Amino acid sequence: MTADRMDVTAVLKDQHRQIRRAFARAARPGRGRTPAFHHLVQLLATHEAAEEAHIHPTTRRIGRPAAAAARVGEEKQAKELLARLYRIGPDGPGYRRGLRALRRAVLAHAAREEREEFPVLEKLGRTRRRMLGLEVRLAKELAPTRPHPRVNGELANRLALLVLGPADRCRDLVRRWRTGA
Ligand SMILES: [Fe+2]
Ligand SMILES: [Fe+2]
């Protein structure tokens, strides 16, 4: 990965593009819809959780508290839409309508982040921007799902990721993201 692609706004924009593509795949009918929906859930949960942990606190501290608070509120609403859609499931009635509503909310939210928060992040020093980019990437790669029944601790939870099935993982991500656990 080149230096520029490690920059926090480049990392976040790349994740926004991945989310947009994942919405398109999750809307397609057929057997691929369920895995596509689970992939979308995983992307959304980890992306928004990383922003809540690293991005909004930063923009709040460096001078855009109202924008940061508004984005957190939008993420909360998106969590509710996502949780509702998860309960419906990709084969359930109202899935397509629910997916469209979630897509509208998430993409409008991402556009506001890019417009209102990214210019603030771009004023940070290069090292700080790259550190934040790394934190967001790591949060996505290593997002813990649930405590393994026999182990404790953050590292153990990360390792437990490797043995959890994808469906379990998605369910856990929705619950954790929703409850802020
Ligand atoms: Fe967000
Ligand atoms: Fe975002």
Side-chain angles (χ1 to χ4, degrees):
M1 172 162 279
T2 65
D4 284 344
R5 290 189 61 205
M6 285 294 288
D7 188 279
V8 61
T9 53
V11 171
L12 291 169
K13 276 182 192 166
D14 185 51
Q15 292 188 1
H16 286 171
R17 275 192 293 273
Q18 288 177 35
I19 288 168
R20 205 171 297 127
R21 283 196 296 270
F23 267 112
R25 282 195 293 270
R28 284 183 207 139
R31 279 199 322 208
R33 179 183 268 181
T34 297
F37 176 62
H38 286 161
H39 178 63
L40 171 67
V41 170
Q42 185 185 332
L43 275 181
L44 277 178
T46 53
H47 173 78
E48 301 298 356
E51 287 180 338
E52 284 174 21
H54 303 294
I55 302 306
H56 307 316
T58 302
T59 52
R60 186 182 305 124
R61 271 198 306 274
I62 58 179
R64 294 299 302 269
R71 299 298 81 76
V72 171
E74 290 160 5
E75 282 166 8
K76 190 164 176 285
Q77 286 175 346
K79 283 178 205 181
E80 292 306 320
L81 289 174
L82 179 62
R84 210 175 304 152
L85 190 59
Y86 196 83
R87 281 196 296 273
I88 292 170
D91 298 316
Y95 171 78
R96 284 174 67 91
R97 194 173 57 241
L99 187 72
R100 277 198 301 274
L102 179 65
R103 181 179 184 277
R104 252 193 321 273
V106 167
L107 296 189
H109 162 75
R112 285 187 208 107
E113 285 175 341
E114 294 192 13
R115 204 168 52 237
E116 296 177 22
E117 288 189 296
F118 286 17
V120 181
L121 297 172
E122 281 156 8
K123 287 182 187 153
L124 292 168
R126 180 180 163 81
T127 305
R128 182 80 184 108
R129 293 202 314 267
R130 297 188 86 228
M131 285 292 290
L132 278 171
L134 188 63
E135 280 172 323
V136 170
R137 278 173 54 81
L138 278 177
K140 177 164 171 279
E141 303 301 327
L142 301 175
T145 57
R146 64 181 176 192
H148 190 276
R150 293 189 199 147
V151 291
N152 292 305
E154 184 77 357
L155 178 61
N157 282 339
R158 288 173 181 184
L159 294 175
L161 265 185
L162 301 173
V163 296
L164 287 173
D168 278 351
R169 231 191 128 195
C170 287
R171 191 168 55 236
D172 292 342
L173 283 167
V174 169
R175 198 183 60 232
R176 288 178 67 91
W177 185 42
R178 206 173 154 219
T179 59

